Amino acid sequence: MQILWPLWEIFVNLVETFLFCILLNKKLGYEPEKARRIWVGMFGLTIFLSMINRTNIDYRIITILIMALDILYALWSHSGDRGQRIFWGSSSTVIAFIGNSVILQLFSYTQDTDPNNVMAQTNIRFQLMCLYLLAI
């Protein structure tokens, strides 16, 4: 199973980014000539998320980097007012942060396990990642 973890994490990041793109498309719309930007940006965001999640950088720095990249993506690829693009671009990071927080809090209330153990590649992490996808 250890060899499948990177693929699973890429899948989770792809689903998360895809849902973000759907949100932006529904709320902001896009011009037909920007359709290619949406797909390129979606895969770029997925690759960035997959790489940065493998680092040991503080989660606050990661959150700020991801939010900045999401806002840049919304500004680059979608239509609408600049303020709307910034708001909806940052919404994905806020939703992900809240989803992570809620899932980890629920887990800590129901289990007698150290939350740091959740980050290990175990069955518990797999279950929590599935709950995270449902939450977002």
Side-chain angles (χ1 to χ4, degrees), residues 27-128:
K27 294 298 179 180
L28 298 174
Y30 63 94
E31 297 160 5
E33 61 269 3
K34 289 187 176 182
R36 182 180 168 119
R37 288 183 183 186
I38 290 172
W39 288 105
V40 169
M42 186 179 87
F43 289 113
L45 286 172
T46 302
I47 291 167
F48 179 76
L49 279 172
S50 299
M51 288 185 340
I52 202 159
N53 284 340
R54 310 267 305 149
T55 64
N56 290 328
I57 301 172
D58 186 63
Y59 75 94
R60 291 171 286 215
I61 295 171
I62 290 174
T63 303
I64 291 169
L65 286 173
I66 292 171
M67 182 179 276
L69 193 61
D70 285 346
I71 290 170
L72 289 173
Y73 170 71
L75 289 170
W76 178 65
S77 64
H78 286 81
S79 304
D81 181 71
R82 182 179 295 153
Q84 289 178 330
R85 290 185 286 170
I86 291 171
F87 175 79
W88 289 111
S90 64
S91 67
S92 172
T93 308
V94 172
I95 291 168
F97 186 77
I98 291 170
N100 258 342
S101 298
V102 168
I103 297 299
L104 288 175
Q105 284 296 332
L106 287 173
F107 176 75
S108 66
Y109 288 139
T110 60
Q111 302 291 322
D112 263 347
T113 311
D114 180 19
N116 292 329
N117 293 338
V118 173
M119 301 319 279
Q121 295 175 345
T122 63
N123 192 29
I124 293 172
R125 183 167 184 212
F126 176 78
Q127 293 169 1
L128 291 176

